[in-house]
Amino acid sequence: MPASPSTARAINDRLALRLLQQEGPLTAGQLKQLTGLSRPTVADLVERLTASALITVVGEAGEQRRGPNAKLYGIVADRAHLAALDVRTEGVSVIVSDLLGRVLAEASVPIADDTGTGPAVEQAVTMVERVAKEAGADRLHTVGIGAPGLIDPATEELRDSSGLPEWHRRLVAALQERLPEARVSVDNETNLAAVAEQREGAARDRDTFVLLWLGHGTGAAVVLDGALRRGASGGTGEIGFLPVPGTTALPSATDCEGGFHSLAGSAAIVELARGYGVTVEGTAREPAAAGVVRAAVARAGGEAGAAPTRAGIAAADAGPAARFLDALADRLAVGVASVVAILDPGCLVLGGEVGQAGGDELAGRVSERVRRMSPLPTEVRASALGGGAVLRGALLTARDGAQDDLFAPPER
């Protein structure tokens, strides 16, 4: 059935808004050219969107013609303010942006292990309120949260998971209570990191890939044909529980010790590095493993035989930093090869702070081992965004949600 006049107008308006969001400020003539709509139709939609305070004149554009310069129209960026949170076991980071995703203010707060649930929640919520005020936001339209753990696919709530602090789950409800006008959503941190890597990072040219998160812990996100796959219970990518050789036990339903986490978690990587004499002073800003991997990459460049070990070249020919990176690649390849055998993604991104610290040095070593272990061609890439991918992914999804709401056609 043909669209009614009101529906057609709403569709045209949404198309124009998307173009302004993607391309930046445009003239009415440019909107006409990009949309294919008639001049009167574009004039009507510009008038409607201006009256609705969704767009405004932001400047002028000189054109090769007589008469006044053409007006440039842009989205009213402060029509809505957004917040994105990265919730970790050791603290919370937040950024507040405008509707176009421009960051206006940001902050982080550490939360000690012995902090009670109530005080931890209050610290985090107070920080969000403070950062919003610093950003000049009277209210937040959408809040996107990235957190470790399982997201219930039926309720879209963070499930109660052993090993994770109770304040994580309480935080979501507290934010909704303190910010009653905001739309609050939560997603698994690794899933949000994959969103950011696909849109702005290492997987921009891929609609099918797997992100292997390497930070304090381990995780994975699966993107197939452009869509995140979550699984029946929201647990797709819980690779820390994957049983692997090289551990002293098997993981249990409540503890991933003995699984892939025991080989690739931050503590395990630091212990492995220590065995090769690679140590570095840690910082509170990143997992300790990221520091030792970064140091090993820097040192390996000056060691004889520092290139990734090839078949027929003994690891003993390399220096200690290179041997550590080889040993770490051996561990990571076990998990990567398992993922490849099941999903055949064609591309795997070593994400998180550790993946970014390892860069092409570590990715190349893992890639070479996976080629020997699997008949399925798989490109291994280093993260372009590191630990910051969670915040960026949370902001991107918050922006999408806010724009879907504000730009949505009216109900028929």
Side-chain angles (χ1 to χ4, degrees), residues 192-239:
L192 292 176
V195 170
E197 292 285 2
Q198 185 179 33
R199 296 238 206 130
E200 301 178 348
R204 280 174 293 186
D205 60 339
R206 293 281 183 166
D207 62 1
T208 294
F209 72 100
V210 170
L211 173 76
L212 176 60
W213 180 266
L214 301 170
H216 287 287
T218 58
V222 177
V223 178
L224 302 178
D225 299 324
L228 270 168
R229 305 298 177 176
R230 304 177 184 278
S233 62
T236 295
E238 287 296 317
I239 197 171

Side-chain angles (χ1 to χ4, degrees), residues 188-396:
N188 175 267
E189 58 179 354
T190 308
N191 286 343
L192 292 176
V195 170
E197 292 285 2
Q198 185 179 33
R199 296 238 206 130
E200 301 178 348
R204 280 174 293 186
D205 60 339
R206 293 281 183 166
D207 62 1
T208 294
F209 72 100
V210 170
L211 173 76
L212 176 60
W213 180 266
L214 301 170
H216 287 287
T218 58
V222 177
V223 178
L224 302 178
D225 299 324
L228 270 168
R229 305 298 177 176
R230 304 177 184 278
S233 62
T236 295
E238 287 296 317
I239 197 171
F241 286 88
L242 179 72
V244 292
T247 62
T248 58
L250 289 174
S252 70
T254 58
D255 191 351
C256 59
E257 287 300 325
F260 183 65
H261 173 83
S262 296
L263 296 182
S266 181
I269 293 175
V270 170
E271 182 179 358
L272 178 68
R274 189 177 296 118
Y276 288 89
V278 180
T279 59
V280 68
E281 289 293 327
T283 70
R285 295 174 304 199
E286 64 179 8
V292 297
V293 169
R294 186 178 297 109
V297 169
R299 295 174 194 173
E303 294 174 349
T309 304
R310 306 295 184 194
I313 300 178
D317 292 338
R323 292 200 300 273
F324 158 64
L325 291 174
D326 283 335
L328 176 58
D330 288 341
R331 291 185 173 194
L332 297 180
V334 172
V336 173
S338 299
V339 169
V340 168
I342 300 298
L343 297 174
D344 185 19
C347 177
L348 186 131
V349 177
L350 298 181
E353 296 91 346
V354 176
Q356 187 179 46
D360 293 339
E361 280 282 340
L362 182 58
R365 285 171 160 82
V366 174
S367 177
E368 188 262 332
R369 284 155 177 78
V370 173
R371 280 198 300 271
R372 296 202 307 258
M373 297 170 68
S374 172
L376 307 177
T378 305
E379 184 178 0
V380 180
R381 301 178 178 178
S383 166
L385 303 174
V390 177
L391 264 181
R392 192 61 196 165
L395 181 59
L396 288 169

Side-chain angles (χ1 to χ4, degrees), residues 45-79:
L45 74 82
V46 166
E47 184 177 353
R48 280 194 305 275
L49 295 176
T50 302
S52 301
L54 285 173
I55 68 172
T56 189
V57 177
V58 297
E60 294 182 343
E63 297 186 355
Q64 300 302 315
R65 60 176 177 79
R66 293 182 179 181
N69 291 338
K71 295 177 180 178
L72 274 172
Y73 296 93
I75 290 176
V76 179
D78 60 0
R79 173 65 187 272

